[in-house]
Amino acid sequence: MRILVIDDERAIRNSLKEILIDEGYDVEVAEDGEKALSIVNKEKFDVIFCDIKMPNMEGTEVLEKMIEEGIDAAIVMISGHGDIETAVDCIKKGAFDFIQKPLDLNRILITIKNASEKVTLLKDNNNLKKKIYGQEMIGESEAICKIKEIIQKVAPTDARVLITGSNGTGKELVARSLHSYSDRSKLPLIEVNCAAIPSELIESELFGHEKGAFTSAVKQHKGKFEQADGGTLFLDEIGDMSLAAQAKVLRVLQEKRLTRVGSDKDITVNVRVIAATNKNLKEEIKKGNFREDLYHRLSVILIKVPSLDERKEDIPLLIDYFIKQICAEAGQPMREIEDKAITMLQERSWQGNIRELRNVIERLIILGGKTISTDDIANYVGN
């Protein structure tokens, strides 16, 4: 485990360094905030101890800058002038813990142990998210490069985004990428499939309800907007949302306030909303199925995800990616695929888009030989 100690008092930082080295840790020191920031931008640390009272740049400013820059470490603030208010302020700003001087060795070692467990958990969660979500947008076609460029520009802002495209094209992946590259990435991304929730439950699901609001409301429930407070709410298949729910979503977007079902109390929320649909919302507006004012609120930025048939040049890259991913997940030996077999897959039509391609590759891995051949395509895929 790597630890950084930031303190302007040489005796404290050196004695802490010696103690922690004796305990088996790899320790670096910095005498001020500027040097510390230059170090953490080049090297990775698991735990950072940072003094609050330092010349030129106070520890709280160092903490804020490290949080802003996404430093992946547990930051522990230390001070000889500590009080409850200072400790609470540091924790609110993102510190893992607060320790008062004079430093107690047992307290430090316990804090390191707890911090280590937190860092490990965060890394495991990030790896799990990557495994579940797949953080990469695979492809080098002009259409995909344009989407990646838009994501890089739009993600750091709070602009609302409407993602359109057929089922299976990867709209969810675009939404997750927008969140991952945003300043909200450390806070929740809450996903709601509007088509999967019965119309009579959508309001409770989105805005929450109070105990006793309806027959089955046996306890208070926080809705998805509240759960996403500070983070991002992804409203998938928003074209299937009822008009009543649309009106309430519009109010939240306009006023940044909501009311739980069965309550008359307003709750303020800070949520970035990203929506997606496989429907033509302008046609739905003409039919009276979707609110025009909500459409304009949601579509500050429009991203159209192309079908797989519109980006067939990406198919070889996607095949390679899925073979590696599926074999690794299933614990199977890596498969090869003949060039002619790739060409056959490129030439067919993909109505189910990327989702269908992945299913086909999984089928070929299970049923085909060590090298996926044109015969495997003919036998297990068809036209």
Side-chain angles (χ1 to χ4, degrees):
M1 175 181 284
R2 302 204 68 218
I3 297 175
L4 175 64
V5 177
I6 313 165
D7 200 304
D8 61 313
E9 295 184 51
R10 181 185 296 176
I12 291 177
R13 66 175 181 268
N14 286 344
S15 61
L16 189 52
K17 177 181 179 179
E18 289 174 9
I19 290 168
L20 294 176
I21 288 175
D22 287 342
E23 293 291 330
Y25 297 113
D26 181 6
V27 186
E28 290 283 338
V29 294
E31 66 270 16
D32 57 45
E34 288 184 3
K35 184 175 180 183
L37 290 171
S38 68
I39 291 173
V40 296
N41 283 324
K42 298 173 185 174
E43 303 176 44
K44 282 194 171 292
F45 295 91
D46 299 293
V47 182
I48 298 172
F49 288 95
C50 182
D51 190 23
I52 289 182
K53 296 293 181 182
M54 294 189 294
N56 301 325
M57 186 184 293
E58 292 219 334
T60 50
E61 188 180 349
V62 176
L63 169 66
E64 288 173 354
K65 287 186 178 292
M66 286 186 178
I67 296 296
E68 284 173 12
E69 292 174 14
I71 301 302
D72 190 16
I75 304 169
V76 180
M77 307 305 293
I78 53 179
S79 176
H81 311 278
D83 56 34
I84 296 298
E85 188 177 338
T86 307
V88 170
D89 184 53
C90 288
I91 300 298
K92 281 184 177 179
K93 288 177 178 176
F96 174 74
D97 204 350
F98 178 92
I99 299 177
Q100 279 188 271
K101 294 179 181 177
L103 299 175
D104 177 77
L105 177 59
N106 287 332
R107 172 73 195 280
I108 288 172
L109 295 178
I110 289 170
T111 300
I112 292 172
K113 181 179 180 295
N114 293 338
S116 171
E117 290 172 356
K118 180 197 173 186
V119 170
T120 301
L121 183 61
L122 285 173
K123 287 178 180 176
D124 288 346
N125 284 343
N126 288 335
N127 290 335
L128 184 60
K129 283 179 182 177
K130 287 180 181 178
K131 185 176 179 181
I132 294 172
Y133 296 154
Q135 295 296 321
E136 301 173 74
M137 291 191 68
I138 306 300
E140 295 176 356
S141 62
E142 184 179 347
I144 289 302
C145 287
K146 185 176 179 181
I147 288 175
K148 289 178 181 178
E149 184 181 335
I150 292 171
I151 288 171
Q152 292 296 330
K153 288 181 180 179
V154 174
T157 74
D158 274 343
R160 298 184 195 106
V161 182
L162 178 61
I163 307 165
T164 62
S166 304
N167 287 334
T169 52
K171 298 188 294 295
E172 302 92 340
L173 184 54
V174 174
R176 290 167 188 152
S177 296
L178 285 164
H179 178 73
S180 295
Y181 291 113
S182 76
D183 295 336
R184 297 172 179 262
S185 60
K186 291 183 180 294
L187 292 161
L189 168 64
I190 302 296
E191 302 183 34
V192 182
N193 186 333
C194 300
I197 303 171
S199 57
E200 64 271 17
L201 296 178
I202 188 72
E203 290 184 38
S204 169
E205 193 67 20
L206 290 176
F207 312 114
H209 61 250
E210 296 294 342
K211 181 179 179 180
F214 44 87
T215 306
S216 58
V218 294
K219 62 180 180 179
Q220 186 189 74
H221 167 69
K222 285 187 178 182
K224 300 298 186 184
F225 269 96
E226 281 187 82
Q227 293 174 34
D229 191 23
T232 305
L233 181 65
F234 176 42
L235 298 174
D236 196 10
E237 303 304 349
I238 195 167
D240 293 282
M241 184 181 287
S242 69
L243 286 168
Q246 288 177 36
K248 292 198 172 185
V249 169
L250 180 64
R251 184 208 171 202
V252 177
L253 297 183
Q254 289 173 330
E255 302 177 10
K256 297 184 179 180
R257 289 182 291 129
L258 61 85
T259 306
R260 292 184 190 143
V261 177
S263 171
D264 57 4
K265 179 184 175 184
D266 282 344
I267 298 169
T268 302
V269 289
N270 172 19
V271 176
R272 181 189 192 176
V273 172
I274 298 172
T277 183
N278 62 358
K279 294 186 175 181
N280 184 330
L281 290 188
K282 290 187 176 179
E283 289 298 320
E284 295 300 307
I285 290 168
K286 289 178 184 177
K287 295 175 185 175
N289 296 331
F290 201 83
R291 295 181 63 113
E292 185 173 7
D293 46 6
L294 178 58
Y295 172 80
H296 291 302
R297 284 279 176 180
L298 292 171
S299 60
V300 176
I301 304 291
L302 279 167
I303 297 179
K304 183 183 183 301
V305 185
S307 68
L308 188 54
D309 286 343
E310 294 174 304
R311 46 176 291 215
K312 286 193 172 182
E313 62 266 46
D314 288 331
I315 287 178
L317 289 172
L318 287 162
I319 290 171
D320 180 67
Y321 176 79
F322 287 138
I323 287 175
K324 290 175 180 175
Q325 183 190 58
I326 293 165
C327 287
E329 288 177 358
Q332 294 210 29
M334 198 58 62
R335 300 291 199 277
E336 300 292 329
I337 182 168
E338 293 177 356
D339 290 342
K340 288 184 179 179
I342 294 175
T343 302
M344 284 181 71
L345 292 174
Q346 277 186 291
E347 289 173 348
R348 76 187 302 275
S349 178
W350 295 94
Q351 297 301 311
N353 295 295
I354 295 173
R355 191 175 296 152
E356 182 186 2
L357 175 62
R358 191 191 188 284
N359 290 343
V360 164
I361 297 302
E362 186 170 8
R363 187 189 313 153
L364 290 167
I365 288 170
I366 294 169
L367 300 175
K370 291 181 179 179
T371 298
I372 298 170
S373 65
T374 53
D375 287 342
D376 292 327
I377 304 294
N379 290 332
Y380 306 124
V381 181
N383 297 323

